Amino acid sequence: MLSEALLGDIDFREKALKVLQYACRLAAARTVNRADALLWSRAAQSFASGRRLIKLLRWIKYGRDLRAAWREADEVRRRQLLAEVGMNLAIDTLQDLRTLEHLGLLRAGRLPSWVPRAVEWLDFAVSVNGLSLRASDSALSEADQKALNHRLDLFKYACDIVVTSHDVA
């Protein structure tokens, strides 16, 4: 059954929590009653924590991708795949450190202030790299889906970079 397959997918669950998180943030921003706004805001924070926990140690899955990248015969494609794995490892490791800090397991202020911006730029680079990688795979329906996801991610990360540059400045 499709719904069972989707619920079993960690990325799907993380994206579902993201939708719920942003819906709660929107409800908090649109609610006039201060107590209700606080309730929606706390719910959004809970969903954000849930997302962080789901993504914790996600970098472990890249072992398989790394082996596949090294087996790639085409040199240019191999380099792109290795770059994708490397950037994803860096992103997930930095995100794990931020999660540990958020949960209080790592003392606040230990991470450099540039980490959130670096994660956004790395995400952006992964999306650009993913678009060029998936362009040659367009015959596969899964590749089409990945290419669409990378396009959407590219737009999202561009927006995140703009927001982050205004927040940190």
Side-chain angles (χ1 to χ4, degrees):
M1 176 179 256
L2 180 61
S3 62
E4 289 176 11
L6 287 176
L7 290 175
D9 182 47
I10 289 175
D11 290 331
F12 176 79
R13 288 196 312 254
E14 190 268 328
K15 289 191 187 302
L17 284 174
K18 181 185 243 178
V19 168
L20 291 171
Q21 175 191 351
Y22 285 112
C24 288
R25 288 175 73 186
L26 178 63
R30 305 289 291 171
T31 302
V32 177
N33 183 322
R34 194 167 179 75
D36 288 344
L38 184 59
L39 178 71
W40 285 113
S41 182
R42 286 185 182 150
Q45 290 172 350
S46 294
F47 285 123
S49 294
R51 285 182 56 220
R52 283 187 178 99
L53 290 173
I54 282 177
K55 294 190 314 186
L56 193 64
L57 299 178
R58 187 168 69 177
W59 52 267
I60 293 172
K61 73 178 185 176
Y62 296 119
R64 182 185 61 216
D65 296 342
L66 186 60
R67 286 188 296 276
W70 279 114
R71 286 193 303 262
E72 177 61 45
D74 183 314
E75 178 70 23
V76 172
R77 186 168 172 81
R78 180 174 50 246
R79 287 180 186 203
Q80 285 181 298
L81 289 169
L82 289 170
E84 183 175 57
V85 171
M87 288 184 288
N88 279 321
L89 276 167
I91 290 166
D92 288 346
T93 302
L94 290 172
Q95 291 288 32
D96 281 359
L97 291 171
R98 290 177 69 197
T99 295
L100 293 174
E101 184 179 58
H102 178 77
L103 296 172
L105 299 173
L106 184 65
R107 192 167 38 117
R110 297 277 301 208
L111 293 177
S113 60
W114 53 262
V115 168
R117 187 172 289 178
V119 168
E120 295 300 335
W121 280 105
L122 282 168
D123 272 334
F124 181 75
V126 166
S127 293
V128 170
N129 187 52
L131 280 173
S132 67
L133 269 171
R134 301 317 183 263
S136 62
D137 295 342
S138 62
L140 303 172
S141 62
E142 184 179 338
D144 288 339
Q145 183 61 42
K146 284 186 176 185
L148 176 61
N149 285 340
H150 280 291
R151 285 185 195 103
L152 293 171
D153 284 344
L154 186 61
F155 177 74
K156 182 239 182 243
Y157 295 128
C159 293
D160 285 347
I161 288 168
V162 170
V163 169
T164 302
S165 66
H166 284 80
D167 287 345
V168 176

